[in-house]
Amino acid sequence: MKKSIIVPVILIVAAMFTCSAFAADATKIGVVSFEKIVKESSAGKVMQKDLKAKLDELQAKLQAEEKRVKDMSVALEREALVLSAEKKLERQRELRDKADDLKKMNADYTQEMKILQNKRMNQIQKDVFDIANTLGKAKGYVLIIEKKVAGVIYVADKLDITDEVIKEYNSIYAKK
């Protein structure tokens, strides 16, 4: 007799938990492509333009120095026969020093560009995180993830909120 009462009670309890699970709100998840934001947002375009200008400036300086080293090398070859052994060794040392300086300058400029790019990217990333956080709270998202970092292979278009974030970022950036 007890067994016949226990089975319906278990079924009723299980049905109550099942109904509450189906009655829960739909979970809102958003996906953001940081790469797309950098390419298409106003801040990203300004960053790319500034980095290209800085790169062009540094490359011009590097090319000018390369020309000086090449000119020194040509002059040394031209004057090698008329220079004394001591003067020739001195000029060769100067040329090696200039070539080493050129390599160091190239490495320094590369490092400077990396630092500048990282600084700008970190600022944009911070801004995007703030915007995504605000947007997530306002629109009731449970989770917003970055597409590339999270290793997302496929995402439905309706979950991608990148364009919304870009629009918000552009409006905030325009006010600055």
Side-chain angles (χ1 to χ4, degrees), residues 123-135:
Q123 182 59 49
I124 289 175
Q125 192 173 33
K126 181 188 173 299
D127 293 344
V128 168
F129 285 174
D130 291 344
I131 291 167
N133 205 358
T134 304
L135 204 92

Side-chain angles (χ1 to χ4, degrees), residues 1 25 50 62 83 95 97-98 173:
M1 178 118 159
D25 290 338
D50 290 349
L62 201 57
L83 289 175
L95 184 60
D97 289 347
K98 286 286 185 185
Y173 191 75

